[in-house]
Amino acid sequence: MLFFRITCLAFLFISCSRGNQSELQTGEKKQGSDSIKKQVVVQSPGGDYDLILGIDSKSESLVYAVRYQGGDIIDYSELGFLSDIPGTEALDLVTEEIVHRQVSSRWKPPYGTKKEYPENYSESLVKLHNAETGQPVYDLRLRAYDEGVAFRYEFPKNNRKITIERELTAFSLLSDATTWTAINSQGEITKAPVSSLKTSGERPILIKYTDSLYLAIGEAAQINYSRMKLNSHGTHKLRADLGGTVSFDEPFVSPWRFVMAGKTAGEILENNYLILNLNDPSEIGDTSWIKPGKVIRDLTLTTDGGKAYIDFAVKHNIQYVIESAGWYGNEFTVEADATTATVDPNRSTGPLDMAEVIRYGNEKGIDIMVYVNRNQLEKQLDDILPLYRSWGIKGIKYGFVRTGDQYWTSWMHEAVRKAADHKMVLSIHDDYRPVGYSRTYPNLMTMEGIRGDEESPSNAHTLKTMFTRMIAGAGDNTICYFAPRVLKMGSHASQLAKSVCIYSPLTWLYWYDRPETATLESGGAGGNKPVIREVPELEFFDKVPTTWDDTKVIHSQVGELGTIARKSGRDWFIGTINGETDKDITIPLDFLEPNTNYNATIYFDDPEIPTITHVGIEKITVNSASSIKRNIKGNNGLVIHIFEK
């Protein structure tokens, strides 16, 4: 049952604007709760979370705190801006009104990690105005979900252009806790105490308080606002670091800042639909044209090669072939023309008859996508979208995009909306990170912002990615299988496991590989020309879907071990990735339907198997009382397909 504990319905706030830059304590000792006055408490419907808003009478700062299951997880922390907002410099802000509501609903996405998502939260909208002039200044919208808490700043009325120079939002932790983050979206994720984060780190950031308490801090719905990163500010505090100033002259809202908690990192990952819930519902009425699936890229950039990839896609249940970088010329020049199929001679001997490849794909039931670099997107987007639709192209991978500051972030999301108008599914590659916008525009199906297989991450690093970056949403990892780097990263069975563990509604497979029938004298990425061999375990890639009806995280030892089980129809697919040390693992199958027998096919690394990939296959019978126990070697993996007898 919902209730709000509000100690005062009209209470005094001191602004945190340019004229008043007093700071909270930096975390060397815990903020004293006796200095916090005039609190508003928003409690989640299930009672696990309290989001508390108040005023610190010592620092004269607007502050908030977060409690989880009765204990503090975020101590009182600053809110507000350094800005040119008029009428707030060293003046009092008072609440004009506090509006409360509660939402309890469920919604079905066109694709996702679950068949439907719950959306249950309590909300308070605190409207602030200037005490002297009576003019509205900004509002704070506070939400407590069953999965976490979130808040954002809102500017409902503006009579002039406003510029936010810096955001004062902070996250005061209770100790110098362990974190996992990276300095950029494709950088190495490192484990370090809060106090050492002197360079701004990526969000979401994962924080470990104890073996049974984890936090994640990040942002959602960052659509027309500079990106937030996080750095240390004192021993125990993280502070928002924006990727530039933010200006606006009309009603405006900031992104959400969220805090999630769980007993394990896996519990937070299971609940990551919170980021989707913090975005607006879909603006696309008919989503029937938005088709998830597996993708393979044509490295040859020739007509015959494209047809060979299409034939392979038919044989191996792959839904898309994408014409790779270079199909329209040198992508890194502004002169290249993405309205013509004029291959880059440094990448392919050609010729590429795009119309014939598209026609052949239609005949075989395979859709064609294309890659387009930002050099062409920025000058030709409005031309290529209707053109590609007229050609019969179904999707685009936007490459090397510019994001981070307000201008390019806004431009990028406008490009998503324009693509939806022309029924194009999208992957955004390189520096874009998910913010939940796929709920509002589900044609944005996947995105990079990930240290994927192009960077040859070790299994241990992938196990950090799974429980940090993947909290934010889908990740275009570009799984490879026959390239030499596979053994540098881990093993072939752990590559199979990535198709389950790294969620992506568009999943790129065989990133550096080509069918045997594709012309070897043409094309290649970075000099790679590995050939796809018809080894038995490819049947797993053939069968694995890319979207799911349910998801359960079984093991979540960050950097050490991860197991995720996902349901599609009545089948379950399980992926396990192991870190550097050998482990004895147990995978309980209590999520299966009771009183039902299933077949299980297990794929695992075995150096004795006489194939080039050394993957063994075992078939067993299981039920909901079964557990699968295995000794898994360091840097190995396994996958399991479970289906009814």
Side-chain angles (χ1 to χ4, degrees):
M1 180 177 179
L2 171 68
F3 68 92
F4 292 91
R5 181 161 62 86
I6 306 174
T7 58
C8 187
L9 291 179
F11 54 102
L12 192 65
F13 285 134
I14 307 300
S15 76
C16 241
S17 61
R18 183 197 305 271
N20 179 12
Q21 300 181 29
S22 56
E23 309 244 331
L24 284 177
Q25 298 176 30
T26 57
E28 282 71 11
K29 66 177 182 177
K30 185 176 178 180
Q31 180 74 34
S33 60
D34 58 346
S35 68
I36 308 302
K37 308 299 182 184
K38 316 299 186 184
Q39 297 182 10
V40 172
V41 179
V42 185
Q43 187 175 79
S44 60
D48 277 350
Y49 288 93
D50 292 313
L51 177 56
I52 306 154
L53 179 68
I55 177 70
D56 180 8
S57 60
K58 291 182 178 179
S59 65
E60 297 186 338
S61 297
L62 185 65
V63 295
Y64 77 98
V66 184
R67 294 192 189 117
Y68 174 66
Q69 296 185 346
D72 296 336
I73 56 173
I74 299 292
D75 198 8
Y76 287 99
S77 307
E78 300 102 319
L79 294 166
F81 308 96
L82 296 180
S83 72
D84 63 353
I85 301 174
T88 63
E89 298 181 359
L91 297 177
D92 294 341
L93 296 177
V94 299
T95 57
E96 179 183 32
E97 185 181 358
I98 304 176
V99 181
H100 311 299
R101 69 171 180 149
Q102 184 173 359
V103 171
S104 179
S105 65
R106 304 183 73 85
W107 61 281
K108 292 185 177 182
Y111 55 83
T113 58
K114 296 178 182 291
K115 192 172 186 178
E116 64 177 12
Y117 295 123
E119 188 171 16
N120 304 317
Y121 63 86
S122 306
E123 178 183 275
S124 288
L125 177 63
V126 180
K127 299 185 176 184
L128 303 173
H129 70 282
N130 183 271
E132 286 192 355
T133 66
Q135 293 298 310
V137 181
Y138 63 82
D139 302 343
L140 274 167
R141 192 175 297 272
L142 314 171
R143 286 185 183 174
Y145 289 78
D146 287 335
E147 298 81 13
V149 302
F151 57 88
R152 75 180 182 190
Y153 306 93
E154 301 186 359
F155 302 84
K157 296 180 181 179
N158 301 311
N159 298 318
R160 62 185 291 275
K161 182 178 180 180
I162 291 173
T163 298
I164 295 171
E165 298 172 4
R166 183 161 68 88
E167 197 174 312
L168 297 179
T169 306
F171 304 86
S172 296
L173 304 177
L174 306 181
S175 65
D176 193 9
T178 299
T179 69
W180 287 268
T181 189
I183 62 172
N184 60 63
S185 65
Q186 293 168 287
E188 184 177 355
I189 298 167
T190 58
K191 178 181 179 181
V194 173
S195 59
S196 70
L197 302 180
K198 303 305 181 186
T199 301
S200 295
E202 283 293 324
R203 82 294 187 264
I205 187 171
L206 182 69
I207 298 165
K208 179 182 178 181
Y209 272 144
T210 69
D211 288 340
S212 59
L213 181 58
Y214 288 77
L215 305 186
I217 297 172
E219 72 177 332
Q222 182 242 341
I223 299 164
N224 55 359
Y225 193 93
S226 293
R227 178 188 300 141
M228 178 184 76
K229 290 189 176 184
L230 296 163
N231 59 24
S232 62
H233 186 74
T235 306
H236 302 166
K237 184 189 295 185
L238 295 167
R239 170 166 280 177
D241 181 16
L242 300 184
T245 61
V246 176
S247 297
F248 50 93
D249 56 7
E250 57 186 17
F252 190 81
V253 298
S254 77
W256 293 95
R257 281 69 180 93
F258 69 80
V259 178
M260 301 174 69
K263 294 180 176 63
T264 65
E267 183 180 343
I268 293 174
L269 181 61
E270 278 193 30
N271 290 336
N272 74 343
Y273 54 85
L274 172 68
I275 289 82
L276 295 173
N277 284 344
L278 289 167
N279 283 261
D280 291 338
S282 178
E283 292 286 345
I284 301 175
D286 175 16
T287 59
S288 60
W289 56 273
I290 299 175
K291 186 175 76 173
K294 290 164 280 192
V295 191
I296 187 169
R297 66 169 175 164
D298 173 14
L299 294 168
T300 70
L301 302 181
T302 66
T303 307
D304 290 342
K307 290 182 175 182
Y309 276 95
I310 289 168
D311 290 338
F312 180 86
V314 172
K315 181 178 180 180
H316 287 280
N317 190 30
I318 293 173
Q319 286 67 48
Y320 294 89
V321 170
I322 185 169
E323 292 302 330
S324 187
W327 72 268
Y328 59 78
N330 185 342
E331 62 171 319
F332 297 112
T333 66
V334 295
E335 293 78 20
D337 185 355
T339 67
T340 65
T342 308
V343 296
D344 180 355
N346 293 319
R347 286 184 177 263
S348 172
T349 59
L352 174 61
D353 184 338
M354 182 68 81
E356 176 59 16
V357 170
I358 295 169
R359 185 206 65 78
Y360 190 74
N362 287 338
E363 178 185 307
K364 297 293 184 176
I366 303 299
D367 288 332
I368 304 301
M369 300 180 66
V370 292
Y371 170 92
V372 183
N373 184 283
R374 73 168 180 84
N375 286 313
Q376 288 66 50
L377 292 174
E378 291 171 12
K379 72 172 185 175
Q380 293 185 292
L381 182 65
D382 291 334
D383 296 325
I384 64 176
L385 289 172
L387 179 66
Y388 291 174
R389 185 176 181 184
S390 72
W391 288 359
I393 288 171
K394 299 299 175 64
I396 307 175
K397 176 172 279 196
Y398 291 169
F400 288 98
V401 297
R402 291 194 259 195
T403 60
D405 65 13
Q406 184 184 20
Y407 177 84
W408 287 111
T409 297
S410 300
W411 187 95
M412 191 73 261
H413 290 106
E414 178 66 16
V416 171
R417 296 189 289 272
K418 288 180 176 180
D421 291 340
H422 296 280
K423 295 187 175 181
M424 292 286 161
V425 299
L426 296 178
S427 169
I428 303 179
H429 230 221
D430 302 295
D431 197 37
Y432 181 89
R433 300 93 159 140
V435 293
Y437 202 52
S438 295
R439 181 185 184 184
T440 311
Y441 283 89
N443 63 309
L444 175 55
M445 300 190 74
T446 192
M447 51 233 79
E448 197 176 14
I450 192 171
R451 192 173 180 83
D453 282 6
E454 290 178 288
E455 303 293 335
S456 301
S458 65
N459 272 9
H461 194 275
T462 296
L463 287 162
K464 297 174 186 175
T465 299
M466 283 168 59
F467 302 110
T468 55
R469 158 63 179 80
M470 298 310 297
I471 294 170
D476 186 356
N477 191 79
T478 57
I479 300 168
C480 56
Y481 200 68
F482 292 95
R485 69 184 61 206
V486 168
L487 297 181
K488 175 182 177 181
M489 293 187 289
S491 70
H492 286 88
S494 56
Q495 289 297 109
L496 294 173
K498 289 179 183 179
S499 65
V500 178
C501 294
I502 305 293
Y503 166 67
S504 184
L506 292 175
T507 297
W508 266 256
L509 298 176
Y510 309 110
W511 183 248
Y512 292 105
D513 311 329
R514 66 180 70 204
E516 293 180 273
T517 54
T519 52
L520 291 179
E521 67 273 12
S522 178
N528 287 278
K529 296 184 180 181
V531 172
I532 299 172
R533 305 298 182 186
E534 293 289 345
V535 290
E537 73 271 14
L538 293 195
E539 67 182 19
F540 185 83
F541 277 153
D542 297 352
K543 294 174 182 176
V544 69
T546 64
T547 63
W548 309 97
D549 296 330
D550 199 7
T551 292
K552 297 184 181 298
V553 181
I554 298 171
H555 301 127
S556 57
Q557 299 174 33
V558 184
E560 299 179 15
L561 176 68
T563 299
I564 297 180
R566 302 194 195 266
K567 185 181 183 183
S568 176
R570 299 188 67 82
D571 290 12
W572 283 88
F573 295 80
I574 303 173
T576 293
I577 298 175
N578 189 30
E580 295 180 355
T581 62
D582 298 0
K583 296 180 182 69
D584 292 318
I585 68 167
T586 299
I587 303 174
L589 303 181
D590 52 359
F591 48 80
L592 299 177
E593 292 290 331
N595 305 314
T596 305
N597 289 325
Y598 294 82
N599 293 314
T601 305
I602 306 172
Y603 305 81
F604 55 93
D605 294 299
D606 184 348
E608 302 301 317
I609 299 297
T611 65
I612 61 171
T613 52
H614 306 297
V615 172
I617 303 175
E618 179 183 351
K619 299 179 184 294
I620 61 175
T621 299
V622 297
N623 57 44
S624 61
S626 303
S627 293
I628 295 176
K629 298 182 178 181
R630 292 273 163 166
N631 177 267
I632 185 167
K633 300 298 182 183
N635 297 314
N636 280 194
L638 64 84
V639 289
I640 307 166
H641 178 205
I642 299 176
F643 51 98
E644 287 189 39
K645 285 176 127 345

